[in-house]
Amino acid sequence: MAVNRHVKNIFFILLGTALMSFGLVYFNMEHQLADGGVTGITLLFFFLFTINPAITNIVINIPLFFIGWRMLGRIPFYYTLVGTFSLSLFLDLFQRINLHIFLGNDLMLAALFAGAIVGTGLGLVFRFGGTTGGADIIAKLCLRYFGWSIGRTFFVFDSCVIAISLVYLDLREAMYTIVYVFIAAKVIDFIQQGSYNAKAAFVISESITEISEAILREMGRGATTLQGKGTFTGDEKEILYCVVARNETVRLRNIVHRIDPHAFMTIHDVSEAAGEGFTLDDNKQPIRIG
């Protein structure tokens, strides 16, 4: 099982670096958009001195590997090696493939596609335990020790490198680079948080039992009853807490209002839901996606 897990992780790390390299070569390098972290430095050397980013990426990351070994542990370090070297491999490969994606010199489209593709690729690398070296190592350390989201850390690092990149960017390219960085950061966080986004509902009603039974019977969802106390009246209240998929919120709202039209209900976003009904089936086994 451990071997299968490592094979799966390495596969998605390779897929992530392939996507990331594709976006960097055919959108960033093609349309002269900068980037942050070590990747941004490699692009800086490319645009100023025409040095292959695949080579620069390896050279810069060699001293950072020692930090990664000390701070991340054995398995994450191996994943970092896979991510870093595969990124350089794919960067070199895509530069050899003569592919031109015609965007009519539209930098907004280039920034949006670059952010979506590079962000998805890097988000996959992080989600499956890897990094691509450089600022990625620092981002994972900030997540572990300071609780910073990876997207937030990257935005800070990217801003610093982009400021330096103004030596070759004009104002227009710099502004679209910021759009690219912002989109990539949001996509990275979305991929990191997972695809099991859900809604959480709190319901205060005199008919909590009937509502919870209806939710279980009609939606197949469980619920939890909490004890509360109204600060205005001082009365004891039962509060129903239930988590449902996003496309089930209308059904939930209809059930509550049908049983008690005067019920008080709030619905909130849940960035990730794990467990039975979301990532586990009725037999407590992981739900297979795709």
Side-chain angles (χ1 to χ4, degrees):
M1 292 298 291
V3 173
N4 292 337
R5 186 180 73 252
H6 291 317
V7 170
K8 175 185 175 183
N9 291 343
I10 291 173
F11 170 79
F12 280 104
I13 290 172
L14 293 175
L15 176 61
T17 55
L19 286 171
M20 185 179 175
S21 301
F22 182 89
L24 289 172
V25 171
Y26 296 119
F27 293 101
N28 291 69
M29 294 170 63
E30 182 75 16
H31 297 276
Q32 200 158 318
L33 295 175
D35 202 344
V38 169
T39 304
I41 297 173
T42 63
L43 293 179
L44 183 64
F45 276 84
F46 171 76
F47 288 123
L48 291 179
F49 310 111
T50 65
I51 299 176
N52 189 340
I55 298 175
T56 312
N57 182 60
I58 295 297
V59 172
I60 294 177
N61 275 294
I62 287 176
L64 293 171
F65 287 155
F66 295 99
I67 300 176
W69 172 258
R70 293 285 185 180
M71 303 297 293
L72 297 179
R74 184 168 57 90
I75 298 301
F77 176 71
Y78 290 152
Y79 286 167
T80 294
L81 290 179
V82 171
T84 302
F85 282 100
S86 63
L87 177 63
S88 286
L89 176 65
F90 285 123
L91 280 171
D92 188 65
L93 175 63
F94 285 128
Q95 288 179 82
R96 297 175 186 273
I97 299 175
N98 187 21
L99 174 65
H100 178 70
I101 301 176
F102 181 72
L103 298 178
N105 201 29
D106 189 332
L107 283 182
M108 177 57 79
L109 280 179
L112 293 176
F113 276 105
I117 295 173
V118 174
T120 298
L122 199 48
L124 284 174
V125 172
F126 284 137
R127 185 179 177 98
F128 289 91
T131 76
T132 57
D136 301 359
I137 295 176
I138 299 174
K140 294 203 75 171
L141 294 175
C142 288
L143 175 65
R144 175 180 295 183
Y145 294 110
F146 303 108
W148 289 14
S149 72
I150 288 176
R152 175 186 175 186
T153 305
F154 263 79
F155 191 80
V156 173
F157 277 101
D158 290 348
S159 299
C160 295
V161 176
I162 290 169
I164 301 174
S165 299
L166 289 174
V167 297
Y168 72 87
L169 293 178
D170 60 29
L171 181 60
R172 181 169 177 263
E173 292 166 343
M175 293 174 67
Y176 281 114
T177 294
I178 293 173
V179 173
Y180 151 72
V181 169
F182 180 79
I183 297 297
K186 292 298 182 182
V187 173
I188 289 170
D189 281 345
F190 175 78
I191 299 296
Q192 275 288 108
Q193 291 168 355
S195 58
Y196 298 101
N197 291 340
K199 293 283 190 177
F202 285 95
V203 181
I204 300 176
S205 170
E206 299 297 331
S207 306
I208 289 295
T209 301
E210 292 86 346
I211 293 173
S212 61
E213 290 175 350
I215 292 173
L216 181 61
R217 181 177 62 253
E218 300 179 28
M219 301 179 62
R221 294 290 186 187
T224 300
T225 301
L226 309 174
Q227 296 298 320
K229 184 177 182 180
T231 57
F232 183 72
T233 63
D235 295 339
E236 298 290 336
K237 301 282 186 180
E238 282 192 327
I239 304 170
L240 190 70
Y241 176 72
C242 182
V243 178
V244 299
R246 286 183 179 272
N247 60 358
E248 295 177 321
T249 54
V250 174
R251 293 177 61 193
L252 176 64
R253 189 183 299 114
N254 290 340
I255 289 173
V256 173
H257 288 166
R258 185 187 72 223
I259 296 174
D260 183 4
H262 304 290
F264 178 82
M265 178 170 60
T266 61
I267 299 178
H268 311 275
D269 284 325
V270 175
S271 62
E272 183 172 0
E276 188 174 346
F278 292 92
T279 58
L280 301 177
D281 60 22
D282 293 340
N283 297 316
K284 313 294 185 182
Q285 298 299 312
I287 296 175
R288 297 186 180 275
I289 307 298

